[in-house]
Amino acid sequence: MASALGIDFGTSNSAAGMLVDGKPRLIPMEAEAETLPTAVFFDFETKRMVVGERASEALLAGDEGRYMRGLKSLLGTRLMRESRMLLGERLDFIDIVARFLAEMKRRAEAATGMVHDRVLSGRPVRFHSADPNRDSQALIDLQEAYRRAGFAEVRFMNEPEAAALANRNILSPGDLALVVDIGGGTSDFTLFRQKGSAEIDILASHGVRVGGTDFDRTLSIGRVMPQLGMGSPIRHAFGDDTHIAPNAIFNDLATWAKIPFLYGADTRKAAAELEKFAVHPKRLARLVKVLEEELGHDLAFAVEAGKIMANTQGETDPVIKVGMLKPGATLSLPSDWMTDRLAPLAEEIGGAADEVLAKVDIAPSRVDKVIFVGGSSLMRVVEDALRRRLPEAEIHRGAALTAIVDGLAIGAATAFDR
Ligand SMILES: Nc1ncnc2c1ncn2[C@@H]1O[C@H](COP(=O)(O)OP(=O)(O)OP(=O)(O)O)[C@@H](O)[C@H]1O
Ligand SMILES: [Mg+2]
């Protein structure tokens, strides 16, 4: 027996589901959680690739290998087609995404006892909001990854439209609602109307490439990277002049998907050079250590944890725990400072919400409900930016992390009839 799967391939978390007796059912991908971290670890010792929670555990345990998270952000970029040797095989990043998806397929088939060779996958409304060519290439890349993973047929649905489908029952007939899906990599919006029957009318969708990983990057650049020498003076090899350390390494180190590219000999050499001529060698020595000991992801996780801590109600003293740089060390992360730093990103997200309404010329006051989904919709700065724009709408927080996969499971049941 074969049945179409719905897969939400997320920047940070993924999930699979299918329709059972007319209801969306999540297919467990992990023993302990509803969703699967979108992460892989190539273990140099066992010569195997593990995914999800196991990948994160291997990273934290300091196992010898290569960890990757945020792969979805690379779709559409030139890096996807670059190949490298991993565990004795030449692989490009499409292969790596394909192996992650193949493992989801395998786990789903083990759980359901069915063959799943058709998939309705979610996609952000825009993978790359600043570049239409990259945007269409990203979809081609993802489609190819599904093919290489062994799926015979692949269809796509906008992620916020899937969330709209999953939430149709919370609305009354005639209600106008806006889905606000703020994930790890993108922010996506769908304006829709409940039509009375089981159907919905999608009026407009819109998206922008801003998400939780951008919040992480901004906080890392603001708070952590200066401790590693970002923005600090470097003496010229000859004479007394100085210049500021180039930003590129620090920007990449603060960007989840770019971290694995920093562990080559050339970057280490560049960092060692910077340390040698640094006015503040202690800081650059930390950069050298992070590259030598491959601590980039550990730092990124620490920043993410600090972000969530600072965003937690009642937390009075949020910090980024940087014990990997110096035992017991922390960097304070005052909520006001964080709100300030993240305001431009939150405004960009708010602006995209304005735009989806403007597309169909609907005034904010006409929206009855705002449905928040996605992990970063829990960010206070995001909620504030949206509330300011839609002060009269009722806020609904449903299944924030599973609404999209629920909608894809519903959609998958009929997606292949056409
Ligand atoms: N309590 C919280 N406060 C703030 N941010 C959070 C919280 N919990 C999770 N996040 C953030 O939510 C993001 C992950 O959300 P989600 O799982 O919805 O993304 P995704 O679906 O993988 O990404 P995308 O849809 O953009 O591809 C991460 O950046 C994470 O740090
Ligand atoms: Mg998502």
Side-chain angles (χ1 to χ4, degrees):
M1 199 176 153
S3 182
L5 274 188
I7 289 188
D8 176 15
F9 175 61
T11 309
S12 308
N13 300 291
S14 295
M18 65 182 286
L19 207 63
V20 178
D21 298 332
K23 289 208 178 78
R25 183 175 296 171
L26 209 67
I27 303 173
M29 292 279 126
E30 294 271 23
E32 307 271 309
E34 290 188 305
T35 60
L36 177 73
T38 310
V40 301
F41 185 78
F42 289 87
D43 192 316
F44 292 167
E45 201 160 305
T46 63
K47 308 273 184 245
R48 292 184 49 199
M49 187 194 96
V50 293
V51 308
E53 212 50 71
R54 296 254 317 272
S56 309
E57 282 164 16
L59 175 82
L60 292 179
D63 292 356
E64 187 78 13
R66 181 67 67 241
Y67 176 85
M68 297 172 191
R69 192 184 183 216
L71 288 166
K72 185 181 182 183
S73 310
L74 298 177
L75 294 170
T77 72
R78 243 182 254 139
L79 292 170
M80 284 310 289
R81 311 259 164 183
E82 272 178 20
S83 64
R84 50 183 50 214
M85 289 303 288
L86 272 164
L87 306 182
E89 279 183 276
R90 184 155 281 284
L91 301 177
D92 63 17
F93 278 86
I94 296 184
D95 291 318
I96 298 173
V97 172
R99 286 181 187 207
F100 179 83
L101 295 171
E103 179 59 19
M104 289 189 77
K105 182 175 187 285
R106 195 191 64 75
R107 289 184 188 189
E109 289 176 348
T112 64
M114 295 175 175
V115 173
H116 298 294
D117 61 359
R118 291 180 304 175
V119 59
L120 178 67
S121 171
R123 57 155 296 173
V125 179
R126 291 173 169 187
F127 290 90
H128 295 271
S129 35
D131 184 340
N133 290 332
R134 274 196 175 182
D135 190 52
S136 37
Q137 186 59 46
L139 191 66
I140 294 169
D141 290 349
L142 184 54
Q143 187 144 18
E144 187 165 341
Y146 275 109
R147 288 269 156 72
R148 290 192 204 173
F151 289 98
E153 281 184 83
V154 189
R155 302 268 162 98
F156 291 96
M157 180 184 268
N158 283 330
E159 288 158 9
E161 292 175 18
L165 212 50
N167 277 291
R168 60 189 173 186
N169 292 336
I170 66 153
L171 303 181
S172 310
D175 269 359
L176 191 62
L178 178 67
V179 168
V180 173
D181 169 23
I182 319 296
T186 56
S187 293
D188 293 275
F189 305 86
T190 287
L191 184 69
F192 70 106
R193 196 182 289 285
Q194 143 82 278
K195 282 211 303 192
S197 59
E199 282 168 54
I200 57 169
D201 225 355
I202 290 173
L203 305 182
S205 293
H206 191 57
V208 63
R209 187 180 169 88
V210 177
T213 54
D214 299 292
F215 295 146
D216 298 345
R217 186 207 292 121
T218 300
L219 298 178
S220 181
I221 286 172
R223 205 68 192 88
V224 180
M225 291 304 141
Q227 300 296 319
L228 272 58
M230 188 176 197
S232 74
I234 308 292
R235 268 189 282 274
H236 289 186
F238 303 101
D240 299 327
D241 286 352
T242 61
H243 63 278
I244 296 299
N247 284 334
I249 298 180
F250 303 102
N251 283 336
D252 284 359
L253 197 52
T255 308
W256 281 99
K258 297 283 179 67
I259 297 168
F261 299 94
L262 288 171
Y263 296 149
D266 44 343
T267 315
R268 286 181 194 183
K269 198 166 154 237
E273 276 297 292
L274 289 174
E275 183 192 0
K276 191 167 144 198
F277 294 106
V279 174
H280 307 292
K282 257 195 186 162
R283 295 186 198 163
L284 276 302
R286 295 188 191 118
L287 175 67
V288 169
K289 178 183 159 84
V290 165
L291 296 179
E292 281 300 324
E293 298 176 20
E294 303 192 354
L295 298 171
H297 286 110
D298 304 74
L299 271 182
F301 271 113
V303 172
E304 184 181 18
K307 169 189 78 176
I308 292 175
M309 194 176 178
N311 194 54
T312 303
Q313 203 78 46
E315 185 58 65
T316 49
D317 192 17
V319 293
I320 302 175
K321 294 180 181 159
V322 288
M324 65 296 278
L325 297 179
K326 188 174 150 203
T330 58
L331 297 169
S332 69
L333 197 55
S335 298
D336 291 351
W337 177 87
M338 180 165 115
T339 304
D340 237 36
R341 275 285 164 140
L342 300 184
L345 293 173
E347 273 312 295
E348 219 180 310
I349 291 171
D354 292 338
E355 234 173 290
V356 72
L357 297 178
K359 267 187 176 188
V360 281
D361 206 14
I362 286 197
S365 58
R366 287 177 56 198
V367 176
D368 300 298
K369 285 196 171 75
V370 175
I371 299 167
F372 274 115
V373 296
S376 302
S377 71
L378 297 168
M379 292 291 292
R380 262 197 306 271
V381 285
V382 170
E383 186 174 337
D384 290 349
L386 269 299
R387 269 191 198 277
R388 228 178 300 125
R389 288 172 162 86
L390 297 141
E392 290 152 64
E394 185 186 313
I395 300 233
H396 178 83
R397 287 186 183 278
L401 294 179
T402 54
I404 292 162
V405 71
D406 283 349
L408 292 169
I410 296 168
T414 53
F416 297 90
D417 295 350
R418 285 168 263 134

